[in-house]
Amino acid sequence: MTSTSFNARKTRFLNQWHARAATKTRTKATGFVSSPEPRTIGSFARGRQLIAGNLLFSGSLIEAPDASSLWEVATPDQDFARDLHGFAWMDDLAAVGDVRARATAQRWLWGWIDHYGKGRGIGWTADLTGRRLIRWINHALFVLRGTSQNESDIFYRSLVEQTDFLSRRWHAAAPGLPRFEALTGLIYAGLSLEGQEARADPAIKALARECEAQIDAQGGLPTRNPEELLHAFTLLTWAAAALSDAGRGTPAAHMEAIERIAPTLRTLRHADGGLARFHGGGRGAEGWLDHALATAKIKTRQPDGLSMGYARLSAGRTSVIVDASPPPGGAASFNAHASTLAFELTSGRRPLVVNCGPGDSFGADWRRAGRATPSHSGLSLGGYSSARLAEPDRYTGAEALIECPTYVPVQIGSVGDGTQFQGGHNGYVAGFGLTHARSLELAHDGRGLAGEDMLLAIEEAEKRAFDREMDAVKLGGIPFEIRFHLHPDVDATVDLGGAAISMAQKSGEIWVFRHDGTHKLSLEPSVYLERNRLKPRASVQILLSGRVVDYASRVRWSLSKAQETAIGVRDLSLDDPYDDQD
């Protein structure tokens, strides 16, 4: 048994022990000292689906229109069950807010107390308990309306028991987002419930310490997951607002973390308001990022350079976000992706070039595939990723990234008529003796992106390693592929006799991809992986493929927006950008 799996089993045992102990507490609460204003954003459409018995969580759908209790439904997997026990679905029912929504929320909430309130079940972990407490307190007025005194007493007693458990076990939550959830829930309960004020002060101090430990100088988390950073930012702003509402001050370290994160999230925000999809993160719910930034009221922007290891180029209505650092290491590598130097491009309100995204909601195979380099808009060599997945842990299933790039030099600056990103990584040096270098230049008007990918054997030892690989393939060359995954809403066609690819957005906007003509160009199937969908969405990818046969190889390509003229649309790609090049 590995130490990781042993610690996980030990944590589960201690959680259950403390949960049962907490349910025996003699402390009582009969009401709220103050109730924080609900700040969570729910989905009206999802709320209506829940009321109808359509339970869609973590990529699985269960239709249970006749189920008397949510907790009698057989859950397909642990992720589905965690979503139920976290009670984030209360946001969706509250967004509907009618009599049926309230009755559903009441039935499911008191059903949870009946089934699991005595310290049983998967929901008694620090992070899920924190998440659940936030929702119960946020929506207390919604769910208590029309209830009896006995039901109200049961509700408050369960809140106190969960608060007692959280005060004992918050430190068992993993550092980062899980611990932020646990401590924010404890702060909410301590500030809100009668007789629980003593719980708040230790949690406030602990959250400030976590901010210092987990939020780095670039305003990022060790996992480098943009969506996870948005979750953490939201929790920190909720906790600060709850402290303000209660007439309490927020520790300096807490506020400084919020001030560091806000400009980083602006760097990771595409032109359409969605997040860049890297290292297990999705785009975030519609409007969530903009709402969180507006609520925080922090207007500063990140200085030039990297934010949480990402570079951003933006001009006109176009945004380009590049993974410009090694993958996360240590414990954070269990969800990391091999995406160094991959990029995404969004034009206006429409994503164009994307990464496939996180596949965890579709099972272990999709999760593993989504982490590989070929699932990103980057370069893969010899059929390999730029980092390798270790064998999964026997008990937890966690897979760390190993043999990752360790050196990623980056330079960003203005050139000619645009902004240029230059970067490289050594992820392929150990296996092939080759360094991957990528240059991206975005025009000042945002209507064109010129790119160049190079594979270089630089040092003598690297050249010898490359020669060995060439001997192994009898000088046939080492195959490489450069991928540009397209959003499913993009309609792509090969034109100009196979020399270019046109991409039409639903808005009517057209982009054209061209390359220097020395490599094979094709359109291939791809997928777009989104949580809260039943299956991956079919899409396509532009594939540039060739073989490395020398110590220095380069591929030049461009993405350009078609230009509307008085007589229609002129294809800018017809003005070949490589005509004046050697």
Side-chain angles (χ1 to χ4, degrees), residues 98-401:
D98 61 14
V99 174
R100 289 186 65 200
R102 180 180 293 109
T104 301
Q106 291 170 339
R107 187 170 66 253
W108 291 355
L109 188 152
W110 273 274
W112 185 89
I113 296 174
D114 289 341
H115 283 77
Y116 304 106
K118 295 305 178 184
R120 296 185 299 270
I122 193 176
W124 287 92
T125 63
D127 56 331
L128 288 180
T129 303
R131 191 183 311 171
R132 188 167 56 246
L133 278 177
I134 292 170
R135 268 61 186 196
W136 286 25
I137 294 170
N138 266 351
H139 303 302
L141 296 179
F142 173 62
V143 296
L144 287 173
R145 183 173 298 174
T147 59
S148 67
Q149 183 62 50
N150 182 58
E151 289 171 325
S152 178
D153 291 343
I154 292 172
F155 174 77
Y156 284 116
R157 176 160 184 80
S158 184
L159 280 176
V160 171
E161 290 169 351
Q162 293 178 69
T163 303
D164 185 83
F165 167 78
L166 206 49
S167 69
R168 301 164 180 251
R169 294 298 292 162
W170 66 262
H171 55 82
L177 180 59
R179 194 167 292 178
F180 286 138
E181 280 193 306
L183 288 169
T184 300
L186 186 53
I187 289 170
Y188 259 54
L191 295 176
S192 303
L193 291 168
E194 289 181 351
Q196 298 298 304
E197 294 86 350
R199 310 282 195 193
D201 285 336
I204 293 167
K205 294 175 182 177
L207 185 58
R209 291 195 298 270
E210 286 300 307
C211 289
E212 290 181 319
Q214 294 296 315
I215 308 301
D216 64 21
Q218 288 186 8
L221 288 169
T223 60
R224 298 190 57 232
N225 180 327
E227 190 175 22
E228 193 171 291
L229 183 66
L230 176 55
H231 270 284
F233 179 74
T234 302
L235 290 165
L236 293 177
T237 56
W238 286 351
L243 287 165
S244 177
D245 291 346
R248 305 281 296 271
T250 303
H254 184 154
M255 289 305 302
E256 288 167 1
I258 292 174
E259 291 168 0
R260 291 198 301 276
I261 294 173
T264 297
L265 286 174
R266 288 192 174 93
T267 297
L268 299 174
R269 179 191 182 277
H270 273 299
D272 65 343
L275 284 165
R277 305 194 326 150
F278 287 96
H279 297 294
R283 290 175 48 78
E286 185 74 24
W288 178 19
L289 174 56
D290 288 343
H291 177 78
L293 290 171
T295 300
K297 299 179 181 179
I298 296 173
K299 304 299 183 183
T300 56
R301 293 186 173 274
Q302 191 70 264
D304 293 341
L306 302 184
S307 297
M308 202 166 75
Y310 298 95
R312 174 188 174 90
L313 307 178
S314 61
R317 301 171 64 247
T318 303
S319 61
V320 177
I321 299 176
V322 190
D323 184 353
S325 294
S333 71
F334 288 120
N335 289 310
H337 287 203
S339 56
T340 306
L341 298 188
F343 76 97
E344 291 190 320
L345 183 150
T346 295
S347 177
R349 302 294 300 175
R350 301 285 179 178
L352 181 69
V353 178
V354 297
N355 297 313
C356 290
D360 50 335
S361 63
F362 304 110
D365 290 342
W366 277 113
R367 178 179 181 272
R368 190 179 182 90
R371 298 175 69 191
T373 301
S375 294
H376 301 81
S377 293
L379 179 145
S380 56
L381 185 60
Y384 292 91
S385 291
S386 58
R388 189 165 66 85
L389 279 173
E391 290 300 313
D393 181 90
R394 177 181 174 186
Y395 292 93
T396 66
E399 301 166 299
L401 280 185

Side-chain angles (χ1 to χ4, degrees), residues 471-500:
D471 290 341
V473 295
K474 299 180 180 179
L475 304 182
I478 301 169
F480 69 86
E481 301 86 24
I482 306 173
R483 290 176 167 84
F484 305 84
H485 295 276
L486 304 181
H487 190 272
D489 291 341
V490 176
D491 184 16
T493 56
V494 180
D495 55 19
L496 295 178

